[in-house]
Amino acid sequence: MPAARRDSLAFTVVVTVAVVVGALLMLLILALSGAPAIMLLATALAALPVGPVVGVYLWLDRYEPEPKVLLSYALLWGAFVATLAALVVQGVGGFVVGITDTVSLAVVAPLTEEASKGLFLLLLLWWRRAELDGILDGLVYAGLVGVGFAFTENILYLAAAYGGTDGTGPGGVAGVTTIFVIRCIFSPFAHPLFTAFTGVGLGLAVMSRRRSVRVLAPIGGYLCAVAAHALWNGSTVFGFGSFLLAYAVLMVPAFVGMICLAVWTRKKERQMLMAALDDAAARGLIPATDIGWLVDLRARRIARKHARTEGGAQAAQAMRDYQQAAIELGFLHHRLLRGTAPKDWQARGQHFLTRIQATRPAFAFPGQVVPQR
């Protein structure tokens, strides 16, 4: 079995087992955390911000869409594995060391939670490194892990708020409303934002040819994630005024800055893809006339619609497969030109070329005649 397939299988087995075990244990914890009706209400409220936030990350991921299976794994890891690991480590640490609630909130929680979320990214880097092409991929995977983590954590917070056991409110509907507004409306991006720093660090690492950057960038990203998380959690210790100050001075600027970074990176990806495909076309790997239909998102949609209109569902699927393979080839070619290609770049490149050659005769772009086999 080729090394790439072994690595992919190892990643799938490890993550699947971890998710299944984590899900079973977390469901047990949730079942013991409150009455069924309360847990259903907490789950429904916690789910409300998930769709919009996930949609933002899928929008960012449109240039080179990541495998849906891996994106789903990222969500599930955050929801079950990362939350369970953080609860266990914090619980054991508090029992053995006798850490105070304040220290646990401001120090232990950021360290353990960012580590448990970042572990998924490290596994991805170790076994599925070819799926990480840069900062944007790191942001997307990190963000989805954070979304999953926030979802499960919000269930626990909302259930505790209803029962008045969290020590922050009167309980009942008033307690739930307060926590819902703070966590689900004003800061649904908190955990995705923290973990995004780790994702940026990993993205910088895979883009760099320097060994020092490859080692230090992920560490620096994790430390920035912990620092942001610690400042956020620590602000709650000093009252609602400090929380609002941290929100205005830390969270909002950091969130806006991360959005700007994501949009800028997305724009750079288009420029990079254009340059890489131009070079690939010069080498005879793809037709130069196809490039415009690949680098522009609107043009991609028009091409797929045209293929469906002219050739039906089969042509539309061939167009979709061709676009995906050509885009993947473009990103791989870019990494090859930079000197950061994965070890199996030849096998991956041949795989993409085989898909391109198999699908290209089945459709035509607007203004073209269907190629003959």
Side-chain angles (χ1 to χ4, degrees), residues 70 146 178 200 222 230 245:
L70 293 183
T178 300
V200 170
Y222 167 71
L245 181 63

Side-chain angles (χ1 to χ4, degrees), residues 293-315:
W293 299 104
L294 296 171
V295 299
D296 184 82
L297 294 174
R298 182 171 179 270
R300 288 187 202 174
R301 293 193 298 270
I302 292 174
R304 290 194 294 269
K305 183 178 180 181
H306 175 79
R308 181 175 294 278
T309 300
E310 297 296 322
Q314 186 174 358

Side-chain angles (χ1 to χ4, degrees), residues 164-314:
T165 58
D166 61 347
T168 61
V173 175
V176 169
T177 302
T178 300
I179 295 299
F180 175 76
V181 170
I182 292 174
R183 296 185 64 89
C184 298
I185 295 181
F186 283 101
S187 59
F189 52 83
H191 276 290
L193 174 62
F194 304 147
T195 314
F197 287 103
T198 304
V200 170
L202 289 173
L204 290 172
V206 300
M207 292 171 60
S208 178
R209 295 186 291 268
R210 298 174 58 184
R211 181 174 178 80
S212 59
V213 175
R214 293 183 178 183
V215 174
L216 295 177
I219 296 174
Y222 167 71
L223 293 177
C224 288
V226 171
H229 197 156
L231 288 171
W232 175 250
N233 281 9
S235 69
T236 63
V237 176
F238 302 102
F240 191 65
S242 297
F243 171 81
L244 290 178
L245 181 63
Y247 184 85
V249 175
L250 170 67
M251 291 296 290
V252 173
F255 182 59
V256 172
M258 200 63 74
I259 289 176
C260 291
L261 174 63
V263 172
W264 176 81
T265 305
R266 192 170 179 266
K267 183 178 180 180
K268 294 292 289 185
E269 279 203 346
R270 172 175 174 154
Q271 298 172 357
M272 176 274 295
L273 185 60
M274 173 71 80
L277 289 177
D278 279 340
D279 189 84
R283 298 169 190 263
L285 301 180
I286 64 169
T289 53
D290 291 0
I291 295 176
W293 299 104
L294 296 171
V295 299
D296 184 82
L297 294 174
R298 182 171 179 270
R300 288 187 202 174
R301 293 193 298 270
I302 292 174
R304 290 194 294 269
K305 183 178 180 181
H306 175 79
R308 181 175 294 278
T309 300
E310 297 296 322
Q314 186 174 358

Side-chain angles (χ1 to χ4, degrees), residues 57-81:
Y57 285 104
L58 295 181
W59 175 80
L60 287 174
D61 190 42
R62 289 195 299 167
Y63 262 110
E64 187 212 9
E66 298 302 310
K68 291 183 175 58
V69 172
L70 293 183
L71 297 178
S72 299
Y73 271 140
L75 270 172
L76 294 172
W77 181 280
F80 299 123
V81 183

